[in-house]
């Protein structure tokens, strides 16, 4: 059997979401998500959604511990398939902390997620600084200068951010958006 096309996977995922609500899983919603995961086992958003909903669900005839075993398996699979992506790490961390009482393991996962998120934020801000600097309008340079100030505070040791900040400042000085500092 051929794997479903991305458009079909997304359509089925959205249909599953609409079959219930975010706070109360319907049996239909759980069924649709399980079928989607069966057909597309690497679709991490479905794994995370089903894991979250199973923690809220009270499925008839399913013991809480059995449900928690399934949730943990889904979350661990999401972590693996997402290549230890931050959202999956965070979700597994909350599960281990709240349900399993494994705070140390949860803290390690949250720390890893935070480090990944910071790397992503650094890359995103560097890209924004570069784009706004290259746009070279008064508005884009003003936005870049505001972001540059924040980025330097958050990433004081980042050479990538420092390079982009220097480029922003150079363009802002050249274009008269930033006044030159008087000599000391």
């Amino acid at each position: 059997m051929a794997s479903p096309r991305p458009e079909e996977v997304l359509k089925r995922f959205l249909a599953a979401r609409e079959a219930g609500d975010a706070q109360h899983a319907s049996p239909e919603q759980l069924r649709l998500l399980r079928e989607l995961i069966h057909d597309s086992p690497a679709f991490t958003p479905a794994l995370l959604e089903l894991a979250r909903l199973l923690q809220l669900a009270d499925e008839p005839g399913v013991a809480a511990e059995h449900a928690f075993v399934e949730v943990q398996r889904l979350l661990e699979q999401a972590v693996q398939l997402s290549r230890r992506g931050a959202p999956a790490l965070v979700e597994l961390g909350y599960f281990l902390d709240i349900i399993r009482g494994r705070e140390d393991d949860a803290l390690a996962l949250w720390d890893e997620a935070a480090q990944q998120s910071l790397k992503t934020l650094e890359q995103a801000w560097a890209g924004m600084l570069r784009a706004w600097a290259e746009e070279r309008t008064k508005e884009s340079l003003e936005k870049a200068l505001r972001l540059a100030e924040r980025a330097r505070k958050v990433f004081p040791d980042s050479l990538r951010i420092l390079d982009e900040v220097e480029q922003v400042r150079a363009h802002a000085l050249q274009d008269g958006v930033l006044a030159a500092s008087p000599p000391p």
Side-chain angles (χ1 to χ4, degrees), residues 125 128-134 137-151 164-165 167-169 172:
W125 279 359
M128 291 168 71
L129 289 168
R130 171 170 289 169
W132 284 335
E134 289 177 2
T137 65
K138 182 179 187 291
E139 295 79 22
S140 70
L141 290 172
E142 287 172 346
K143 288 191 282 189
L145 287 168
R146 286 191 298 274
L147 179 57
E149 185 178 325
R150 190 167 23 154
E164 297 301 336
V165 166
Q167 189 65 41
V168 165
R169 291 184 54 77

Side-chain angles (χ1 to χ4, degrees), residues 54-153:
L54 285 172
Q55 292 175 73
L56 302 172
D58 186 17
E59 290 184 281
V62 178
E65 183 54 32
H66 179 76
F68 291 151
V69 167
E70 183 179 5
V71 168
Q72 187 167 347
R73 180 187 57 76
L74 290 166
L75 291 172
E76 289 171 348
Q77 187 176 348
V79 166
Q80 180 183 14
L81 290 169
S82 70
R83 294 180 52 208
R84 304 191 68 78
L89 290 167
V90 168
E91 290 299 322
L92 180 56
Y94 276 113
F95 176 82
L96 292 178
D97 182 41
I98 294 167
I99 303 299
R100 298 293 189 210
R102 292 170 41 193
E103 183 179 316
D104 290 343
D105 292 334
L107 284 167
L109 291 169
W110 292 329
D111 182 61
E112 184 180 347
Q115 295 306 314
Q116 284 185 9
S117 296
L118 282 171
K119 287 178 190 173
T120 302
L121 181 61
E122 178 184 3
Q123 292 170 355
W125 279 359
M128 291 168 71
L129 289 168
R130 171 170 289 169
W132 284 335
E134 289 177 2
E135 189 177 323
R136 288 190 79 162
T137 65
K138 182 179 187 291
E139 295 79 22
S140 70
L141 290 172
E142 287 172 346
K143 288 191 282 189
L145 287 168
R146 286 191 298 274
L147 179 57
E149 185 178 325
R150 190 167 23 154
R152 282 185 25 210
K153 289 177 184 174

Side-chain angles (χ1 to χ4, degrees), residues 158-176:
S158 169
L159 294 177
R160 183 168 189 191
I161 291 292
L162 182 60
D163 287 344
E164 297 301 336
V165 166
E166 287 176 5
Q167 189 65 41
V168 165
R169 291 184 54 77
H171 287 319
L173 282 168
Q174 288 173 353
D175 295 357

